[in-house]
Amino acid sequence: MTDLRPAPVVASGATTPALALHDVRRSYGRGAGTVTALDGVSLEVPARTWTAVMGPSGSGKSTLLHVAAGLERADQGQVWLAGHDLTRASDQMLTRLRRSEIGFCFQSFNLMGALTAAQNVALPLRLGGRHVDKARVREVLASVGLADRARHRPRELSGGQQQRVAIARALVTEPAVLFADEPTGALDTASARSVLTMLRNLVDQRGQTIAMVTHDPAAAARADTVVFLADGRIVDRLERPDAATVAARLAALEG
Ligand code: ADP
């Protein structure tokens, strides 16, 4: 089938990446027990593109996502997002950036069961002390195809719909980067496919930037760029690969 996606914006001197990591290092523990999770990672994610991160278990994917999203601090290096180096930002600034420029969605959705879809989506605005614009909440829910589910509670929604609510919640503040940690890991194949198509549309039609960790070659193949981690280092990178190529590369790394 012909791929009609527009070519992604390529980072150049004229384009500031939405996210940039320079020689990022992060270890856990001390002395003989030290584990190096990230061993000098440099990565640029151009604005309005989607990057997937893959690699064997323990290769540093979660650490990379958490450090890039300001959920954990790097030991060394720089993490640039929305004009700030997260590694030097004060705790107060990090909190502000997490509430305004960073969206995060997880494999397990993490929705509040007692709240409706609309109330879940409005939550980041409330937590940030911002005015809850109901039209904005409706618009974001519509953008993930859930205009008619605003008053439903999570238990009344399918897994795929719950993940859409979680993505709408991550997008309501119009973050510079949407971080997704295994967003399709808990979904059946059909729901996963429709969530991935929605993410693709967010990039192509709304100019959203996405950084995603996944184990699923079919999910990675929807991204513009796939980077592979092994032992805390980026060891390979594929541009708009097909799922079979991704799967073969991952299998080779998993040995
Ligand atoms: P992945 O997401 O690819 O499975 P992680 O980023 O979770 O990899 O982990 C990378 C390495 O860092 C692993 O060896 C893991 O055991 C170690 N690690 C991650 N988080 C911690 C932690 N909080 N304390 C100690 N070691 C950790």
Side-chain angles (χ1 to χ4, degrees):
M1 203 171 79
T2 314
D3 190 340
L4 296 174
R5 275 190 256 154
V9 178
V10 175
S12 70
T15 311
T16 307
L19 171 69
L21 283 74
H22 295 301
D23 200 22
V24 168
R25 292 165 197 274
R26 170 77 163 131
S27 302
Y28 296 103
R30 286 166 179 231
T34 304
V35 174
T36 303
L38 297 178
D39 191 12
V41 168
S42 296
L43 174 67
E44 291 195 349
V45 178
R48 299 178 292 282
T49 70
W50 181 358
T51 292
V53 180
M54 298 196 93
S57 181
S59 60
K61 302 181 296 295
S62 299
T63 306
L64 173 59
L65 208 66
H66 290 174
V67 166
L71 301 177
E72 279 182 54
R73 296 257 188 194
D75 298 328
Q76 284 181 53
Q78 293 156 16
V79 178
W80 288 95
L81 190 148
H84 296 269
D85 180 359
L86 302 188
T87 62
R88 285 157 197 256
S90 64
D91 287 345
Q92 201 182 5
M93 175 59 83
L94 261 190
T95 301
R96 198 173 74 70
L97 288 170
R98 279 201 298 262
R99 286 184 176 162
S100 57
E101 301 291 353
I102 292 165
F104 215 108
C105 64
F106 306 88
Q107 176 172 345
S108 49
F109 320 138
N110 294 0
L111 296 174
M112 305 281 282
L115 302 184
T116 65
Q119 288 167 338
N120 268 286
V121 171
L123 209 52
L125 299 175
R126 287 192 197 287
L127 290 174
R130 287 161 67 172
H131 168 66
V132 176
D133 179 349
K134 289 192 173 153
R136 167 79 191 138
V137 171
R138 272 199 302 276
E139 193 245 340
V140 181
L141 273 172
S143 77
V144 299
L146 289 178
D148 56 346
R149 295 287 190 276
R151 290 167 186 272
H152 290 235
R153 293 204 157 63
R155 65 173 178 277
E156 298 161 344
L157 299 170
S158 71
Q161 289 170 334
Q162 289 183 56
Q163 189 60 295
R164 285 162 182 267
V165 173
I167 292 167
R169 179 182 58 184
L171 293 175
V172 75
T173 59
E174 301 188 65
V177 183
L178 171 64
F179 293 92
D181 193 355
E182 293 278 3
T184 57
L187 302 179
D188 61 75
T189 310
S191 302
R193 199 177 300 133
S194 94
V195 165
L196 292 166
T197 296
M198 192 201 82
L199 292 174
R200 189 67 248 173
N201 289 340
L202 286 170
V203 178
D204 293 342
Q205 292 164 16
R206 294 176 172 255
Q208 184 62 49
T209 306
I210 301 179
M212 170 182 82
V213 162
T214 184
H215 280 105
D216 179 6
R222 303 300 295 274
D224 298 301
T225 303
V226 184
V227 297
F228 292 87
L229 278 179
D231 297 327
R233 294 181 191 182
I234 292 181
V235 293
D236 203 359
R237 169 187 184 99
L238 299 172
E239 302 296 333
R240 306 177 85 201
D242 58 41
T245 308
V246 173
R249 192 69 195 94
L250 185 62
L253 287 176
E254 286 177 332

